[in-house]
């Protein structure tokens, strides 16, 4: 399942226990249950990607960014539509930035904006967050260098040296 067709009203997908459990968890997400369900969703790349995003978001909001990042360690299936792939990249970039790993986040936020409105908003917000963090780091470095320069000049002109 790559999410490119309508869900059938009956058939093997409707009867699959893993997909039924996923539909339940999508309505009432639980981190532990989603984590346990991920391997069973392997035959369903779109649903597995959605479950990973949902789980990573739950963990992030629970102030557990390293665990959320681990959930996104596996790259999305190459046949997925662009929006979930870009949502994966932007969520992963946000987690990396929260962990102070801006250099790793930057390549995830390169490229054109996605087509879908929600994915575009998330991706754009993550890009802006990275640019802001980079600007703040540059300003902090400029202040540090400026302070070191002032201290060096003071020590040269100090009457005690």
């Amino acid at each position: 399942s790559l999410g490119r067709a309508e869900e059938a009203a009956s058939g093997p997908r409707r009867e699959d226990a893993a997909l039924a459990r996923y539909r339940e968890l999508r309505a009432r997400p639980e981190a532990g249950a989603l984590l346990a369900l991920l391997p069973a969703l392997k035959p369903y790349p779109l649903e597995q990607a959605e479950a990973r995003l949902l789980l990573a978001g739950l963990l992030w909001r629970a102030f557990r960014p390293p665990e959320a990042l681990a959930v996104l360690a596996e790259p999305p299936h190459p046949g997925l539509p662009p929006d979930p792939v870009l949502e994966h990249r932007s969520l992963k970039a946000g987690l990396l930035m929260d962990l102070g790993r801006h250099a790793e986040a930057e390549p995830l936020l390169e490229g054109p904006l996605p087509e879908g409105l929600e994915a575009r908003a998330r991706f754009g917000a993550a890009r802006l967050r990275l640019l802001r963090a980079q600007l703040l780091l540059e300003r902090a470095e400029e202040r540090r260098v400026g302070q070191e320069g002032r201290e060096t000049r003071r020590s040269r002109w100090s009457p005690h040296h």
Side-chain angles (χ1 to χ4, degrees), residues 7-27:
E7 183 75 33
S10 64
R13 281 183 52 88
R14 266 294 164 196
E15 297 164 11
D16 187 286
L19 288 176
R21 180 68 177 136
Y22 172 62
R23 285 188 288 274
E24 290 171 11
L25 289 170
R26 215 172 34 192

Side-chain angles (χ1 to χ4, degrees), residues 109-123:
L109 298 172
E110 292 174 350
L113 286 172
E115 294 298 318
L117 187 59
E118 186 171 341
R120 179 182 283 256
R122 287 178 189 258
F123 197 70

Side-chain angles (χ1 to χ4, degrees), residues 60-121:
W60 195 3
R61 287 185 297 279
F63 303 102
R64 296 162 53 187
E67 292 172 62
L69 191 57
V71 168
L72 298 177
E74 185 177 317
H77 187 279
L80 286 177
D83 283 359
V85 172
L86 289 170
E87 189 173 345
H88 179 276
R89 286 175 40 200
S90 59
L91 182 56
K92 188 172 182 177
L95 288 161
L96 287 165
M97 286 186 277
D98 273 3
L99 295 170
R101 295 162 55 184
H102 296 85
E104 291 174 65
E106 190 170 2
L108 294 171
L109 298 172
E110 292 174 350
L113 286 172
E115 294 298 318
L117 187 59
E118 186 171 341
R120 179 182 283 256

